[in-house]
Amino acid sequence: LSFLFQQSYNCGIVPTQWKQAFVTPIHKSGAKSDQTHYRPIYLTCICYKIMKHIMLNHVSKHFAVNNILSKFQHGFRQAGSFNDDTTHICNPWMVFTPTKIQPGWCCLPPLSKGFWQSSTPTSLQQTDYYGIVGDSQNWLMYFLTARKRAVVVDGSRSFWWDVTSGVPQGS
């Protein structure tokens, strides 16, 4: 596997099978007839997951060494999470509201949705800006493009379709 990973990195090519995902809907709660009560789980090749983890560590070290991420960027860090971001955003409102005189109201957009819809061309343009160049940039460009997915329900699979936006889970 080490040889395969090194060849993939050096050539900037990700095997097609690694860029295919089977989407399986998992029921969360509520009426099973309501599609909003399901969470999509993307099943991918284990080699892909290992290589993705290697690249994530590589890029994370690059960000840390070059102090690229803001101190307020909690996601994509070893000890950070989306919940940390949400707490950081909401905490000032929770401290100052509500009062006895005037209840405080705030409206938050569904923050989690924004993380799934990252534009692939935008992500690729940012690699230059953040100093991710050479073999790493080539591998990431190939990794993020020409991905496909198919839905699997009760053993039946849909046709494959292109993934044109977003990044793979955990990326």
Side-chain angles (χ1 to χ4, degrees):
L1 282 177
S2 176
F3 177 77
L4 179 63
F5 293 155
Q6 191 64 53
Q7 289 298 312
S8 173
Y9 180 77
N10 291 345
C11 297
I13 295 175
V14 179
T16 303
Q17 294 84 354
W18 293 11
K19 298 191 322 175
Q20 295 175 337
F22 293 110
V23 183
T24 302
I26 303 296
H27 184 254
K28 295 185 296 185
S29 63
K32 289 188 175 188
S33 60
D34 185 348
Q35 68 181 10
T36 62
H37 293 171
Y38 288 84
R39 178 175 181 244
I41 302 295
Y42 288 70
L43 304 174
T44 55
C45 172
I46 191 70
C47 292
Y48 151 83
K49 290 181 181 188
I50 295 169
M51 184 66 181
K52 180 179 73 169
H53 183 70
I54 292 167
M55 289 300 295
L56 177 62
N57 285 339
H58 181 72
V59 171
S60 295
K61 285 178 187 174
H62 173 77
F63 284 173
V65 166
N66 293 292
N67 200 27
I68 291 174
L69 298 178
S70 160
K71 67 180 182 177
F72 301 112
Q73 172 70 41
H74 300 287
F76 309 107
R77 289 182 183 257
Q78 195 86 29
S81 72
F82 172 75
N83 291 337
D84 293 336
D85 280 337
T86 306
T87 301
H88 179 78
I89 291 169
C90 295
N91 195 43
W93 293 325
M94 289 187 277
V95 171
F96 296 111
T97 59
T99 65
K100 291 181 182 177
I101 300 169
Q102 183 178 11
W105 291 88
C106 70
C107 179
L108 292 175
L111 296 173
S112 63
K113 299 294 184 191
F115 293 99
W116 288 86
Q117 298 305 318
S118 172
S119 162
T120 301
T122 300
S123 300
L124 296 177
Q125 289 170 357
Q126 291 175 347
T127 59
D128 273 334
Y129 180 79
Y130 290 114
I132 300 170
V133 296
D135 290 341
S136 295
Q137 183 183 41
N138 293 336
W139 193 89
L140 288 170
M141 289 175 70
Y142 201 89
F143 170 74
L144 289 174
T145 56
R147 292 180 292 121
K148 295 188 177 293
R149 63 182 167 202
V151 176
V152 177
V153 177
D154 294 330
S156 296
R157 181 182 63 92
S158 72
F159 58 89
W160 290 101
W161 77 91
D162 295 332
V163 178
T164 57
S165 69
V167 294
Q169 282 178 311
S171 300

